[in-house]
Amino acid sequence: MVPRLADRRRIPRRQAAAGHAARSHRPRRRLRLLVRRSRGGVRRGLRIREAQSRCAALIALPYDPALDARAFEPVLDGIEEIMPGVQVLRPGTAAIRMQGPARYYGSEEAAAEELLRCLEQLGVADARIGVADGPFAAEQAARRSGAAPVRIVPQGGSPAFLAPLSVAILDLPELAVLLKRLGLPTLGAFAALPELEVRNRFGAEGAVAHRLAAGLDGRRVVPRIPPDELDVVVEFEPPLDRIDQVTFAFRSAADRFLDRLGTLGLVCTAIRVEVTTELGELSERSWLHPRSFTAAEVVDRARWQLQGTGGIDSGLGSPLTRVRVLPESVDAAAGHEEGLWGAAPDERIHHGLSRVQSMLGHEAVLTATIGGGRLLADRQVLVPWGDRGAVERPADRPWPGSLPGLPPATVFPERRPCAVLAPDGGPVRLDDRGTLSGPPARFAAPGTGQARPVRAWTGPWPVEERWWDAEQSRALSRFQLVDEDGEAWLLVLEGETWSVEARYD
């Protein structure tokens, strides 16, 4: 949209063509919608104590922009039914191109009245509409509409309308204070300054504010584009009580789901499956994929979820009435195309594992990943193929007390008992101060039963977890030991029990 231009001398050379277009065509108008809700004299900008003094029942909550956006969404949907092309400036404030609605309804006044009736039907009782040459002037017109809900600034009248207003409305506190000290308290006084000198003195931000004060707001109204509905829903009437029936009925929906993504040049790498039963039970789960989903793999995820939550085959309490699948993560399809000479070896492995998984179940094919933890056994995590290493205890978090340096090559799933003896032949103990009863002199490896001399050892390294929980607390000490044959071991002393955690191969 081309802004109205009152003075050609204020237009930079690179925008002279836009100014010419504005004189040769009727300028497009912008409508500013401002929704106000106030009770008991409470308004924006008050301190909490002052607001509570005006309204004793006031409850102050932290600002949640997402909540405001959800509350404003039905209003935007209602406006778009009669006037398409709405731009959301912030929750509660929207801008509309006025040229089209004015032609359709006959005038700007008629379009504004029709919009007010629409807002009243939507439950917005106190709305303000301003019509001017730019978004900034239209917002100020809406805020200063007075008793009338609509204020229309004549074409070319934005500079005169803005001139008596305070520079504080530019929402630049430091600039406003400086202008007032210079004797320029109004927008008209600020707009009278030469544009080049304003830019040299106040920079680019001051130059933009100077154009707003002069009524030369050249910002366009960019209509919002509602996102495409990419989810698919299958309703079952009558409800289905067998998993094979549900998956058979869902196959065509899975094809539609991926075809719709394909037309947009997208592939899905994460989906969420929602299953609703006849009694209103809802089962939902997110499924990840190491590459991108195919239609058969989407059906497999829905079947695995049904097998895990119920159906007659698995004990679900009631038949199924609805299955919904929606994408949680999408990527550009160009990054998932096959190579020039066909599928790579890792792709063939992926297809083979996925086929085995589809026949045996989701948890039948597992892949190893590194998790978080202080003990080596805790870091060994097996996740189902395709879940991309989603672990409960991430390895990238700090784990004080974990083993430094290179980890041992052989980690036993369960610690194996062993014996560590002092020079006097008794077992080595550790007191409360971390002092050993004697140096480790002989070591009996698991399964041998014969104690051999110790060549070298180091430790202890204490590990204490969940000391605040009496049931799950754990306190132990770790040692590294090299026996007579040169084999290195990682030992754990918990209480008075020695065990082997891992072996360095």
Side-chain angles (χ1 to χ4, degrees), residues 166-205:
S166 173
V167 292
I169 65 175
L170 293 173
D171 199 18
L172 297 172
E174 296 181 0
L175 178 62
V177 172
L178 181 57
L179 291 176
K180 290 180 180 179
R181 290 180 179 178
L182 295 175
L184 305 171
T186 63
L187 295 180
F190 181 41
L193 297 178
E195 184 176 2
L196 181 59
E197 295 183 6
V198 171
R199 177 178 292 275
N200 293 336
R201 175 63 177 85
F202 301 106
E205 187 179 45

Side-chain angles (χ1 to χ4, degrees), residues 191-270:
L193 297 178
E195 184 176 2
L196 181 59
E197 295 183 6
V198 171
R199 177 178 292 275
N200 293 336
R201 175 63 177 85
F202 301 106
E205 187 179 45
V208 173
H210 182 262
R211 293 187 63 83
L212 295 180
L216 303 178
D217 188 0
R219 293 175 295 174
R220 294 176 176 269
V221 173
V222 181
R224 68 167 189 161
I225 301 177
D228 295 329
E229 296 294 336
L230 300 178
D231 60 322
V232 293
V233 180
V234 180
E235 306 281 350
F236 304 121
E237 183 61 37
L240 302 181
D241 53 5
R242 292 187 60 86
I243 294 178
D244 55 350
Q245 295 175 342
V246 175
T247 54
F248 181 79
F250 183 70
R251 289 184 183 277
S252 59
D255 291 330
R256 295 197 310 270
F257 173 69
L258 293 180
D259 290 343
R260 189 177 304 173
L261 290 174
T263 57
L264 299 175
L266 301 173
V267 294
C268 186
T269 59

Side-chain angles (χ1 to χ4, degrees), residues 268-272 285-293 297 301 304 328-329 350 357 362 384-391:
C268 186
T269 59
I271 63 174
R272 187 168 81 246
R285 175 174 174 177
S286 297
W287 298 89
L288 305 178
H289 198 284
R291 295 184 179 274
S292 61
F293 281 99
E297 290 170 339
R301 268 59 176 182
W304 294 339
E328 284 194 340
S329 177
H350 163 68
Q357 192 179 42
H362 178 55
W385 173 256
D387 281 1
R388 294 189 295 187
V391 296

Side-chain angles (χ1 to χ4, degrees), residues 256-340:
R256 295 197 310 270
F257 173 69
L258 293 180
D259 290 343
R260 189 177 304 173
L261 290 174
T263 57
L264 299 175
L266 301 173
V267 294
C268 186
T269 59
I271 63 174
R272 187 168 81 246
V273 180
E274 299 177 354
V275 180
T276 306
T277 67
E278 191 176 21
L279 297 179
E281 301 171 336
L282 177 63
S283 169
E284 57 181 351
R285 175 174 174 177
S286 297
W287 298 89
L288 305 178
H289 198 284
R291 295 184 179 274
S292 61
F293 281 99
T294 64
E297 290 170 339
V298 173
V299 174
D300 286 339
R301 268 59 176 182
R303 175 168 57 86
W304 294 339
Q305 185 165 335
L306 292 173
Q307 291 173 346
T309 58
I312 283 185
D313 298 337
S314 56
L316 188 65
S318 60
L320 305 180
T321 60
R322 185 173 182 264
V323 175
R324 180 190 180 203
V325 175
L326 63 161
E328 284 194 340
S329 177
V330 294
D331 291 335
H336 293 259
E337 297 292 340
E338 292 187 356
L340 180 62

Side-chain angles (χ1 to χ4, degrees), residues 375 377 412-417 474 476 492 494 499-501:
L375 300 182
F412 302 110
E414 296 182 358
R415 297 202 300 262
R416 301 182 178 183
R474 179 169 57 179
L476 51 88
V492 173
E494 187 171 6
S499 58
V500 175
E501 182 180 5

Side-chain angles (χ1 to χ4, degrees), residues 420-424 426-431 434-440 498:
V420 179
L421 306 178
D424 58 0
V428 177
R429 297 288 184 260
L430 189 69
D431 60 16
T435 303
L436 293 175
S437 60
W498 284 90

